[in-house]
Every structure is written in structure tokens, then in C-alpha cells.
Amino acid sequence: MKKNSKYLLMLLILFASSIFRPIFVNADGHSLPNSYDPQEVAVFINGHINILEQKTYLANDDKVYLPLKLLNSLKGVSLDTNNGITVASSKGKFNINKTNSVIYKNSTYITFEKLLQITGYSGKYVGEYTTVYLWDNYGHYQETVKIINNLKTVPDSVRWYMGSKVYLYQTNQFGWVINMSSSGLITDVEIQLVNSKIVHETIFENVPSTFCHILQYNLFTKEAFKNEYVWANKKALPSSTPLYNIERIKILSLSIKDGNAVIQARRASNQKVTFKIPINGYPNGVIYDHFYTQDPKKEHPNWTDRIWNLIAQQKIAIGMTPDQVLMSWGGPNDINTYTSSYSSFEQWVYGNTYLHFYNGRLDSWATY
């Protein structure tokens, strides 16, 4: 599978999370089937992210629904559930019932519009960032505008991390992205950890190298590649990895610890083996960058057993094609080409070793 498949996979994840939204149930208990994981919406109150067990969602009707328990986080708003549900604020008292709320996952939800109506707070839903902003005075409004304006400098390809739960590779911690701003190719990211500590990370161009989205983390550690077969690309793997080139293994488990992907696998001999590969980008990239996800032998059925044995030992021989040398040694540092009407000549440079191809076949090599 081509390396860019990992990016296609991420697009599919994001696409799925945007179209398969939750179907809520009416407050009288009548339920409808939930088709997929809902699209979560981040909530910022007076410039600070709000973290609740009950999430805020964008539903099938294109309305944002917030958990009623969020009102407990709003200054000047009280929630009374002793006799029915009553909300008191500077706007007055309001009853919450089946006519103005819905039930989802055993929690009561109200629309974003209803929340503004009954609390006296001002707010804005920014669909581009999948984020709700709430504020109670002009000072907090200015803080909110600053956050939103910072996001306008951020490339679309990474802006969607705003408000999302993420996993930091080196410290093995979870947090939430609370602010982002970009200058040139660098995006500065503020992340609030579970213990409320704020850390700063950077994204160069489009792919974070020090953290990943919770969707990417869960996909890698719980679903992707589990019990699947892959073939080792020894040229790309760390030298400490105890696999030979194009060796087939079955992945048993994947985890992330101290900046490494920890892979437990079973070899053809039935031996279990555990090894680490540093992460520098999307977690799934560890697999796509270091393994073949399709059997190379099936992609090249005409190659002889002798050629495959050489490739497995990362050796070369006279008569090999460029593709065979690439699978054995990987890409060269440099290529020099000469072509005439009668023949073609290529020189591949691997450090101090020079390989010479004549009319598409390895003709000789020398080390200086």
C-alpha cells in the first residue's frame, strides 16, 4: 500500500465523524437508533475550555445540543432538579421539559439557541472549528475574539485540532487543544493537560510530530492492524528491530509509550516478539512507513526464489532490476543517468558504493 494511504485513512475517519451524527431521542423516552459515533463539539466558557463527561454534539438536524449539566459551569446560572428541572438566571426562571429538551445517553440536552435564551450568556457556534464559545461580559467577549482571530491564521489542515482531546507521545498524557496560532509554516499549539497544566507544542506544516488526535490514538491502539499481517521493510525499520527484510508478521497489539509505538507481533515460527519504533507524525504512519501491508511476492510473481532470498538478506547480485535493488537496499543517495539511442546507463550512489545499471539490469558495483 502506498505511503499516502495513511492520509486517506485519516480523511475517512474525519469524514465519518462529520456525516454520521447522533440521532437524539425525545424527552418522553422514545428512542431512535444511533448510527455512529457522534460529532463532538468543543465548548469554551469565557475563554476557557469546558470539560464534562457529557459531551456537546452536532446532531442530524444541524443543531448543536449541549448537556444541561453544563449550566452548572455558568456563573450566575442555577439548575434545580428537585421538582422537575428549573433554570434560574438573570433572564428569569425557566422550566425544562419534553417540549424544549431531548434525552441522549441518559442525559438531558438543550439546543445552543435555548441555552442562550435562558442563561443570559452570549455565544457563537463556529462550525469551521466545530466549537461553541460562550461569554458573560464584554471583557470575556474580547478574550474569545482573540482566540477566534488566532485560529484564522492557522492552516485548514490543522485547525480541526482546536478544542480536541489529544495524546502527547513523549509524556504519555492526554490533554485538550485550547489555543492555536500560526506564523509561516509553524503553528503554535497550547494544550491543557488533565491536571490543568498548560504545555506548548508546535506543528510544522501539516502534521503534528509530538501529539495526535484522540481519534487517531484510539484507531491505532484499539482497531487498526490488529490481527493483520504485514511484511517488514528492514531498510526503514530501526536496526534494533529483530526482523529480517520482507519477513511476514502478525500484529497482536499496538500501544504508544515514551514517544514510541510498541508493537507485539507473532513471527512465522510462532514466536512472539515485541519491539519499538519512534513515532514522528500520525501513529498509523509507523506501520505504513516501516512495513508492506500487501505481500510483496504477490505483487512480483515473476521474481525467482533466488531473487527473493537475496532481498530477504538485503543483498544484491548482477542482473537484478532497479526494483529488486530498491526492495533489497532501498533508495540511493544519488542517481546519475546517461541515455543514448542505443543504450541507457545509470549510476546509483549508496555512500561510498556505486552501482552501475546497463539497459535496466545491474551490471557491476564498486566501493571506494
Side-chain angles (χ1 to χ4, degrees):
M1 187 178 292
K2 295 181 178 179
K3 190 181 296 185
N4 61 8
S5 296
K6 63 184 177 182
Y7 305 115
L8 175 60
L9 185 59
M10 267 311 303
L11 289 175
L12 290 174
I13 295 171
L14 297 177
F15 178 70
S17 67
S18 64
I19 63 172
F20 294 106
R21 297 173 185 163
I23 300 175
F24 289 84
V25 303
N26 296 327
D28 60 7
H30 178 66
S31 62
L32 297 172
N34 186 32
S35 57
Y36 198 74
D37 289 337
Q39 184 179 8
E40 294 184 9
V41 176
V43 178
F44 284 76
I45 301 173
N46 291 332
H48 300 281
I49 195 167
N50 180 263
I51 300 169
L52 280 178
E53 180 180 353
Q54 296 80 14
K55 307 302 180 184
T56 295
Y57 298 111
L58 178 64
N60 282 349
D61 57 5
D62 287 327
K63 292 183 178 180
V64 175
Y65 289 80
L66 300 96
L68 199 62
K69 289 186 177 181
L70 182 139
L71 271 60
N72 290 323
S73 304
L74 301 182
K75 185 179 179 180
V77 179
S78 62
L79 183 63
D80 186 355
T81 59
N82 291 325
N83 186 18
I85 303 176
T86 302
V87 176
S89 70
S90 61
K91 290 288 187 177
K93 288 189 175 182
F94 303 86
N95 293 322
I96 303 299
N97 51 49
K98 65 182 181 180
T99 66
N100 55 23
S101 67
V102 294
I103 301 296
Y104 181 65
K105 291 186 176 180
N106 299 318
S107 293
T108 302
Y109 279 77
I110 58 175
T111 64
F112 178 51
E113 292 76 14
K114 187 65 178 178
L115 180 142
L116 297 180
Q117 177 189 344
I118 66 178
T119 63
Y121 271 65
S122 299
K124 182 177 183 180
Y125 168 62
V126 184
E128 189 177 0
Y129 316 143
T130 322
T131 305
V132 161
Y133 297 94
L134 299 169
W135 58 87
D136 60 0
N137 59 47
Y138 184 70
H140 290 140
Y141 164 74
Q142 289 181 309
E143 291 180 39
T144 301
V145 169
K146 183 178 179 181
I147 294 174
I148 295 175
N149 287 339
N150 282 342
L151 283 171
K152 292 179 180 178
T153 69
V154 177
D156 294 341
S157 56
V158 296
R159 191 181 292 166
W160 63 279
Y161 282 97
M162 181 62 183
S164 297
K165 188 176 182 179
V166 296
Y167 180 83
L168 283 78
Y169 297 143
Q170 291 293 340
T171 59
N172 311 310
Q173 292 177 293
F174 291 97
W176 290 264
V177 176
I178 60 172
N179 207 347
M180 303 177 76
S181 62
S182 292
S183 176
L185 299 176
I186 302 295
T187 299
D188 295 313
V189 183
E190 289 185 28
I191 299 174
Q192 178 180 312
L193 302 180
V194 174
N195 61 7
S196 297
K197 180 181 177 181
I198 306 297
V199 297
H200 294 263
E201 301 290 339
T202 59
I203 300 175
F204 180 71
E205 292 188 331
N206 299 321
V207 181
S209 60
T210 59
F211 67 90
C212 66
H213 194 281
I214 187 64
L215 285 175
Q216 298 165 327
Y217 175 85
N218 287 336
L219 181 68
F220 182 72
T221 59
K222 298 178 181 179
E223 301 177 38
F225 309 107
K226 188 175 182 179
N227 295 322
E228 291 189 11
Y229 290 98
V230 295
W231 289 258
N233 182 351
K234 190 64 175 177
K235 307 175 298 295
L237 285 165
S239 58
S240 60
T241 306
L243 303 174
Y244 61 81
N245 199 28
I246 66 169
E247 177 181 358
R248 189 184 80 159
I249 60 171
K250 182 180 182 180
I251 295 178
L252 302 178
S253 68
L254 295 166
S255 60
I256 301 174
K257 186 175 181 181
D258 302 332
N260 296 295
V262 181
I263 302 175
Q264 185 183 66
R266 189 183 302 279
R267 308 177 84 166
S269 63
N270 210 36
Q271 175 194 12
K272 285 186 179 180
V273 61
T274 302
F275 52 91
K276 300 177 182 178
I277 301 176
I279 297 180
N280 187 29
Y282 297 136
N284 283 359
V286 168
I287 301 300
Y288 291 121
D289 291 343
H290 298 89
F291 295 90
Y292 302 99
T293 56
Q294 301 293 329
D295 187 351
K297 291 185 178 181
K298 290 184 178 180
E299 295 185 359
H300 304 282
N302 297 325
W303 293 3
T304 65
D305 289 342
R306 172 178 171 271
I307 293 296
W308 285 116
N309 287 333
L310 288 168
I311 291 172
Q313 299 174 68
Q314 292 185 273
K315 295 181 178 180
I316 59 175
I318 301 301
M320 272 185 155
T321 66
D323 284 343
Q324 292 164 353
V325 172
L326 281 172
M327 191 164 288
S328 184
W329 276 21
N333 303 117
D334 195 16
I335 296 178
N336 302 307
T337 303
Y338 169 79
T339 303
S340 71
S341 57
Y342 302 102
S343 63
S344 63
F345 173 84
E346 283 190 349
Q347 181 187 67
W348 288 16
V349 182
Y350 292 86
N352 295 327
T353 301
Y354 295 77
L355 278 59
H356 308 111
F357 291 89
Y358 181 74
N359 288 340
R361 294 285 177 173
L362 182 60
D363 185 65
S364 64
W365 72 87
T367 300
Y368 298 97

